[in-house]
Amino acid sequence: MHYPWWFVPFATSPMLIAAIATLHIFVAMYAVGGGMFLAVEVQYAHRTQNRPYLAYLHDHGWFFILLTIVFGAITGVGIWWTIGLASPLATEALIHIFLFAWAMEYVFFVVEIASAFLFFYFWDRLPPKTHTIFGYIYAVAAWISLVLITSITAFMLNSGNWTESPSFWVGFFNPEFFPQTIARTGGSILLASLYVYLHAALHKKTEPEVRALIARRSARPALLGAVLVTIGGIWWFLALPASAQAALAAAPSLNILVLLILAVTGIIFAMLYLGPYRNPGWVTPGFAMLLFVFGLAAIGIGEFLREAIRKTNNVYSITMS
């Protein structure tokens, strides 16, 4: 190990961070958007006393818990491991600068875990109102975690005027905070719908009526998510610092990725409108799989691009200036 830098042949350590972070974000966004979906839909199913829909939501809850808590936790630890090796001094600086944010994140993460387990394992034992409340507690805690983490990753890309006023709140509300929060919130809502489409299409117990209901109720949120991703992505590009713009200009492949994101997002929007929104019966295994792959591609390319031009070493140089 070449302290304070970790030399990774061929791939380079920043690209290794980008690869692991991209895998993690696929599940982390689903953890946020999926929590919103389950809370809203469980409330709807309880209110309408739709037992078949509740049964499906319970099955989906098991899939949700297994993927977000198990795989999400493993990849989350993987991110800490890679950034600690790749940029130990920058990681230390981020911990010191955002100590209060990390403390809040751990609190809300515990709330997420506790409420998710209570929501799932006491599914049929709690009154409908109490059961729904636990679902919303999880959804709110997960979204706050997204906000806290987004602020830190946004600061690593554009610290704004933090060097002139080195305070927690100046760093927290950096120029990239709002565009990335909007984009990630939209991505969470979009990915949640795509996960649900895929799970419902492949789940053998899902009745056709339930699958059509899922398509109808998830189409508008999915379209909203695609719109938010587009707005946040454009704002993110406009708020890039000079160093990131120079990195984009020096790497033609990254510019190709920017155009690819716009093209894939347009395809997703068209598929959602023509499929679940206008024709709920189109949510077949093949269509759901294709839509899911396009969704992962759009989110993955965006996150990989963001990680590729974000240099954690810059954080350390900022703190030393």
Side-chain angles (χ1 to χ4, degrees), residues 56 193-202 206-208 210-216 218-219 271-272 274-289 291:
Y56 167 76
S193 296
L194 303 189
Y195 271 101
V196 172
Y197 292 155
L198 183 63
H199 180 267
L202 298 178
T206 306
E207 300 175 1
V210 173
R211 190 179 297 118
L213 177 63
I214 292 171
R216 288 196 302 270
S218 300
M271 291 180 68
L272 287 171
L274 297 175
Y277 184 74
R278 297 293 300 271
N279 302 284
W282 282 18
V283 183
T284 61
F287 183 85
M289 179 65 74
L291 188 56

Side-chain angles (χ1 to χ4, degrees), residues 12-281:
T12 73
S13 57
M15 286 299 178
L16 184 61
I17 296 174
I20 297 176
T22 300
L23 288 176
H24 176 74
I25 209 68
F26 288 152
V27 177
M29 283 188 173
Y30 173 49
V32 177
M36 296 177 183
F37 167 82
L38 285 172
V40 172
E41 295 308 301
V42 164
Q43 182 183 33
Y44 169 80
H46 279 310
R47 187 176 68 249
T48 58
Q49 297 183 350
N50 191 330
R51 304 307 300 178
Y53 194 26
L54 270 175
Y56 167 76
L57 293 173
H58 184 259
D59 290 341
H60 188 87
W62 170 246
F63 169 75
F64 175 81
I65 292 287
L66 186 64
L67 187 60
T68 58
I69 293 182
V70 177
F71 184 79
I74 292 173
T75 53
V77 172
I79 291 176
W80 276 105
W81 186 80
T82 51
I83 67 173
L85 286 176
S87 299
L89 301 181
T91 304
E92 178 187 6
L94 286 175
I95 293 174
H96 290 162
I97 295 170
F98 293 99
L99 182 61
F100 182 55
W102 289 121
M104 289 191 295
E105 158 61 17
Y106 293 141
V107 169
F108 282 105
F109 182 71
V110 172
V111 173
E112 286 181 55
I113 299 298
S115 58
F117 283 158
L118 289 169
F119 180 73
F120 179 76
Y121 288 106
F122 288 84
W123 190 279
D124 295 322
R125 307 180 196 178
L126 295 172
K129 184 176 180 180
T130 305
H131 185 224
T132 302
I133 288 174
F134 278 123
Y136 276 105
I137 290 175
Y138 172 86
V140 172
W143 184 77
I144 293 177
S145 292
L146 178 148
V147 172
L148 294 170
I149 296 299
T150 298
S151 171
I152 297 170
T153 58
F155 175 83
M156 295 166 70
L157 180 59
N158 190 347
S159 60
N161 62 346
W162 183 85
T163 52
E164 289 77 23
S165 296
S167 68
F168 171 81
W169 293 111
V170 171
F172 190 90
F173 294 108
N174 55 79
E176 287 284 350
F177 169 71
F178 288 108
Q180 286 197 26
T181 299
I182 292 173
R184 283 192 163 185
T185 300
S188 299
I189 298 172
L190 174 61
L191 270 187
S193 296
L194 303 189
Y195 271 101
V196 172
Y197 292 155
L198 183 63
H199 180 267
L202 298 178
H203 193 2
K204 296 180 180 179
K205 296 181 181 179
T206 306
E207 300 175 1
E209 296 79 8
V210 173
R211 190 179 297 118
L213 177 63
I214 292 171
R216 288 196 302 270
R217 290 191 56 80
S218 300
R220 290 186 179 181
L223 289 171
L224 173 62
V227 171
L228 291 178
V229 168
T230 304
I231 294 174
I234 294 174
W235 191 357
W236 169 86
F237 182 80
L238 295 176
L240 285 176
S243 59
Q245 293 178 2
L248 280 174
S253 60
L254 296 183
N255 288 278
I256 294 175
L257 292 180
V258 174
L259 297 176
L260 190 58
I261 292 172
L262 296 176
V264 173
T265 303
I267 292 173
I268 293 172
F269 194 90
M271 291 180 68
L272 287 171
Y273 180 77
L274 297 175
Y277 184 74
R278 297 293 300 271
N279 302 284

